[in-house]
Amino acid sequence: LEVDARPLPGEHDLNFHLRTKTTGTAYMLKISGPAASESNIDLQNQALLHLAQRAPELPLARVLPGTDGRYARRIRDAAGQVRWLRLHRWLDGQVWARRPARPTALFEKLGQRCGQVTTALLDFDPPAAHHIHPRNNAEGSWNREELPVHAAPAQPDAFAALTPGAP
């Protein structure tokens, strides 16, 4: 399979936009960071598969199985570290952070989509979902040490100073 590849941003994973040279079909290749566990990769895949089944109308990336039927392949990088490869269908769109204008209707649509995803995940309860995951705001214990860094300033007019047009 011949593809053109370009890197995409990612917090932990190495992500690439792939486009086949023969058909122009687009994919996203995800290569996990070395700290990723098999159970966390499996949890992510299970969540996407669950969403595909419960809410197929939602415009979400779809994880694709390999020829062996598995949704992730374990590899070792040049340094000998374990990484996980996953392939997703490409989802066209614009990254929220790069969007120059965000009209109210777009916020409303985002809220609707978040509600649809939440509803579709109501019955999603695999054992791996009960481990502490960084960035899960429902679990405050993992970031207790970070709270002082992000605490609001003590002075009462701090918010006013951040408000455009405030004196």
Side-chain angles (χ1 to χ4, degrees), residues 12-13 31-46 72-74 81-86 127-129 131-134:
H12 299 287
D13 296 340
I31 304 172
S32 73
S37 68
E38 182 175 8
S39 64
N40 193 31
I41 296 296
D42 186 55
L43 175 63
Q44 292 174 31
N45 288 342
Q46 285 182 45
R73 166 136 345 232
R74 182 177 180 240
Q81 296 178 308
V82 171
R83 296 189 180 249
W84 295 91
L85 296 180
R86 294 174 286 164
H131 296 121
I132 292 177
H133 297 279

Side-chain angles (χ1 to χ4, degrees), residues 7-55:
L8 298 168
E11 184 177 8
H12 299 287
D13 296 340
L14 298 172
N15 300 307
F16 297 90
H17 175 260
L18 306 179
R19 187 169 300 280
T20 62
K21 290 187 177 187
T22 53
T23 65
T25 305
Y27 301 96
M28 180 173 59
L29 175 67
K30 297 181 74 62
I31 304 172
S32 73
S37 68
E38 182 175 8
S39 64
N40 193 31
I41 296 296
D42 186 55
L43 175 63
Q44 292 174 31
N45 288 342
Q46 285 182 45
L48 288 171
L49 292 167
H50 186 88
L51 286 167
Q53 182 182 39
R54 292 284 193 272

Side-chain angles (χ1 to χ4, degrees), residues 143-160:
N143 65 1
R144 193 176 316 255
E145 294 170 6
E146 299 291 326
L147 290 176
V149 174
H150 302 291
Q155 63 260 29
D157 62 345
F159 181 74

Side-chain angles (χ1 to χ4, degrees), residues 81-120:
Q81 296 178 308
V82 171
R83 296 189 180 249
W84 295 91
L85 296 180
R86 294 174 286 164
L87 191 65
H88 294 224
R89 283 199 187 108
W90 179 254
L91 183 64
D92 280 324
Q94 188 175 21
V95 176
W96 180 268
R98 293 188 186 146
R99 190 167 175 88
R102 297 183 192 128
T104 301
L106 193 58
F107 280 100
E108 290 171 356
K109 188 66 165 179
L110 177 62
Q112 290 171 355
R113 291 287 190 225
C114 288
Q116 290 171 310
V117 168
T118 299
T119 300

